[in-house]
Amino acid sequence: MIQLIRGFKDILPGEVELWQHIERTAVLLFEDFGFKEIRIPILEHTELFSRSIGEDTDIVEKEMYTFSDRKGALITLRPEATASVVRAYIQHKLHSIDPVQKYYTIGPMFRRERPQKGRYRQFYQINAEVFGVASPLVDVQMVLMLMAFFSKLSVPDIQAHINSLGCPVCRVDFKSSLTGFLSDKTEHLCADCKKRSIKNPLRVLDCKVPGCKAVLSAAPLLAAHLCADCTQHFNTVTSRLSELKVPFVIDDRLVRGLDYYTRTTFEIQTGSLGAQNAIAGGGRYDGLVKALGGPDQPAIGFAVGLDRLASIVALNNADFSRRPDIFVAALGEKSQDMAFGWICAFCGEGIRAEMDFGDKSLKSQMKRADRLGAKYVLILGENEIEKGAAVLRNMATKAQNTILLPDVVQSVKEKIKHFERSTNLDG
Ligand code: HAM
């Protein structure tokens, strides 16, 4: 039997309702904050990612699914969404209408990492990106929106980790200090970091190899090299977050795995996931729009890891599946014909209706209705047709009513509306 590719997964009915709930919550909240949806392709020119994420990053060096198409063009399954959203902002001149644009997008990303719990080769992200605002208040708003999103989903045990990665001005000073620090330690670094320490020393800070991590524990910190503007920007972010009572910690060792970041960067970490503890990450990327050929517009964004988030929200055990409102148990050909007409009418009126299309006994149809969790069963056999009335059974209370055949659609609609009102009041 042909199986899934390693690191890929199916999201089956039963689980998918939770994903839909999370996605709906994000859409409603993000739209309240003024974000609009953008849909971008899954395949892009490889160069888009190598130029934005950075040639020396783990993602570009080792993790991208890259291949040539039939005409030899190098294309890549997107490992993230930010680069594509920036490309779209530039390509469609969206900045010319108004440089301030706020977008969200939801979909699969692909990275060929070693699969483990919380880490997949196809995984899903909810991204939000803001263009055209340099103010630190927007950084605060992004973290606030993210925390509000997790709070709506009752995600326990989360903390925002915040850092500043400075700007190209303060990076010069920091790079030389880091290069000096690394110069007599290269023999303790992994092969990749030996190269990185010369080409792009900041990337060494992101290395996961234990030997490199040990060397870096005493490395100089970017925080100590921030220029006056970056310091002021960061101070505004942290003081406003405190005023708004957003729980956060300053994490001066937080370096993100992508090269485009400037100034504020953040990660939301959780205690409920084990090693893969980041459920969202993001930050400013003020230089990326210009670097990809667009106008000099600042930007900031984040991505939520949907797979990891879903696994936490699932622990709340809430059931998001939608049960049938009514199951029509019809016996005999004539009843089945009538039942079919009714269920078509119900489904068109927003009532979830099911029937059995086989010629099954009443007992077996009742069993199926029970298994599906139907709220009501409408029973129709030859006897009922003769009497001109079907039997409506409330599956929770077992109460039964007769319903005159010409009134079935209208009466059932009313019953179900009443049922919903009463369960909403109860719950
Ligand atoms: P990232 O930190 O690479 O950032 O990914 C964001 C989130 O995606 C992570 O915190 C994690 O929850 C999830 N994630 C990443 N890789 C995997 C994986 N292999 N399996 C499961 N989940 C994963 C970015 O992608 C940036 N583009 C975020 C951003 C948007 N920055 C600015 N705008």
Side-chain angles (χ1 to χ4, degrees):
M1 202 228 121
I2 300 169
Q3 303 267 341
L4 272 169
I5 304 172
R6 193 165 122 80
F8 287 61
K9 66 175 180 188
D10 299 310
I11 305 156
L12 302 175
E15 189 187 358
V16 87
E17 292 78 6
L18 170 66
W19 286 59
Q20 291 170 335
H21 168 71
I22 294 175
E23 289 169 12
R24 268 197 300 267
T25 307
V27 168
L28 289 175
L29 181 73
F30 294 5
E31 292 196 349
D32 284 347
F33 274 81
F35 286 74
K36 293 182 180 152
E37 184 175 6
I38 184 166
R39 297 195 187 189
I40 44 178
I42 285 172
L43 274 176
E44 296 268 11
H45 291 294
T46 304
E47 200 192 344
L48 175 68
F49 301 116
S50 51
R51 273 178 54 196
S52 46
I53 299 169
E55 294 281 1
D56 314 308
T57 55
D58 278 354
I59 298 178
V60 173
E61 266 182 352
K62 310 178 191 160
E63 296 168 1
M64 295 204 305
Y65 283 93
T66 296
F67 43 92
S68 14
D69 76 358
R70 285 168 189 268
K71 294 231 164 121
L74 218 50
I75 50 177
T76 294
L77 279 172
R78 63 181 186 193
E80 60 118 43
T82 311
S84 306
V85 178
V86 174
R87 181 201 43 68
Y89 179 73
I90 301 169
Q91 182 170 348
H92 305 289
K93 296 194 173 48
L94 300 168
H95 46 83
S96 66
I97 312 161
D98 179 353
V100 181
Q101 296 289 337
K102 298 156 116 182
Y103 304 121
Y104 69 88
T105 191
I106 305 175
M109 311 295 152
F110 304 84
R111 295 185 194 170
R112 203 178 188 290
E113 297 187 80
R114 197 172 55 77
Q116 64 181 82
K117 184 170 173 275
R119 197 205 273 154
Y120 308 95
R121 290 180 169 174
Q122 175 174 334
F123 60 98
Y124 293 78
Q125 284 186 343
I126 307 177
N127 276 254
E129 317 284 351
V130 177
F131 295 93
V133 191
S135 163
L137 295 185
V138 110
D139 308 24
V140 175
Q141 202 184 24
M142 290 302 264
V143 177
L144 183 84
M145 181 169 93
L146 199 45
M147 295 304 262
F149 173 53
F150 292 138
S151 145
K152 276 188 183 294
L153 294 169
S154 310
V155 180
D157 198 7
I158 49 168
Q159 195 160 44
H161 287 236
I162 315 253
N163 194 17
S164 175
L165 292 184
C167 65
V169 176
C170 29
R171 291 258 179 96
V172 177
D173 191 23
F174 178 63
K175 253 188 198 165
S176 68
S177 153
L178 186 61
T179 311
F181 170 82
L182 292 172
S183 61
D184 58 350
K185 298 175 185 66
T186 39
E187 82 249 37
H188 305 296
L189 298 176
C190 71
D192 284 340
C193 283
K194 281 195 177 101
K195 279 189 271 160
R196 289 172 184 153
S197 67
I198 299 158
K199 277 181 20 196
N200 187 353
L202 253 80
R203 282 273 62 89
V204 179
L205 296 171
D206 185 44
C207 187
K208 310 283 183 307
V209 175
C212 299
K213 275 187 155 175
V215 170
L216 289 162
S217 59
L221 294 172
L222 226 160
H225 294 80
L226 292 184
C227 66
D229 284 352
C230 286
T231 306
Q232 199 189 357
H233 188 103
F234 193 54
N235 288 345
T236 308
V237 172
T238 52
S239 61
R240 284 302 179 103
L241 283 174
S242 304
E243 273 168 40
L244 289 164
K245 305 214 169 1
V246 174
F248 75 94
V249 288
I250 295 177
D251 183 348
D252 48 22
R253 298 258 159 216
L254 178 76
V255 279
R256 308 263 304 122
L258 306 99
D259 267 358
Y260 50 61
Y261 289 113
T262 53
R263 294 196 164 170
T264 316
T265 45
F266 49 89
E267 237 169 57
I268 312 299
Q269 297 181 3
T270 159
S272 5
L273 272 185
Q276 303 307 317
N277 63 354
I279 45 170
R284 274 205 167 269
Y285 47 98
D286 288 343
L288 187 59
V289 178
K290 186 157 182 238
L292 290 180
D296 192 3
Q297 288 295 344
I300 180 167
F302 63 71
V304 175
L306 199 38
D307 309 70
R308 293 182 193 172
L309 178 59
S311 70
I312 299 175
V313 180
L315 301 175
N316 297 342
N317 280 326
D319 179 10
F320 297 102
S321 54
R322 193 172 156 204
R323 299 185 285 143
D325 296 305
I326 186 151
F327 185 97
V328 185
L331 299 156
E333 211 174 307
K334 200 164 170 206
S335 306
Q336 289 232 324
D337 262 4
M338 289 173 80
F340 182 65
W342 291 337
I343 67 157
C344 291
F346 289 142
C347 295
E349 302 247 7
I351 291 173
R352 195 184 145 188
E354 296 274 0
M355 68 180 280
D356 198 299
F357 292 98
D359 199 14
K360 304 262 172 60
S361 69
L362 180 62
K363 195 171 161 203
S364 108
Q365 294 196 45
M366 292 303 284
K367 260 195 186 158
R368 174 138 189 264
D370 210 30
R371 208 170 44 242
L372 292 173
K375 294 166 199 163
Y376 286 93
V377 175
L378 187 69
I379 302 164
L380 183 73
E382 273 164 27
N383 270 346
E384 284 75 21
I385 293 182
E386 233 165 68
K387 287 187 200 144
V391 176
L392 185 70
R393 182 176 168 89
N394 180 323
M395 294 295 273
T397 63
K398 314 282 181 230
Q400 299 203 154
N401 287 299
T402 49
I403 296 191
L404 296 180
L405 295 189
D407 304 337
V408 159
V409 175
Q410 191 54 31
S411 304
V412 167
K413 245 171 74 182
E414 275 159 22
K415 280 266 176 220
I416 284 165
K417 278 209 189 107
H418 179 74
F419 179 94
E420 272 164 11
R421 267 200 302 275
S422 60
T423 44
N424 282 346
L425 285 178
D426 292 349

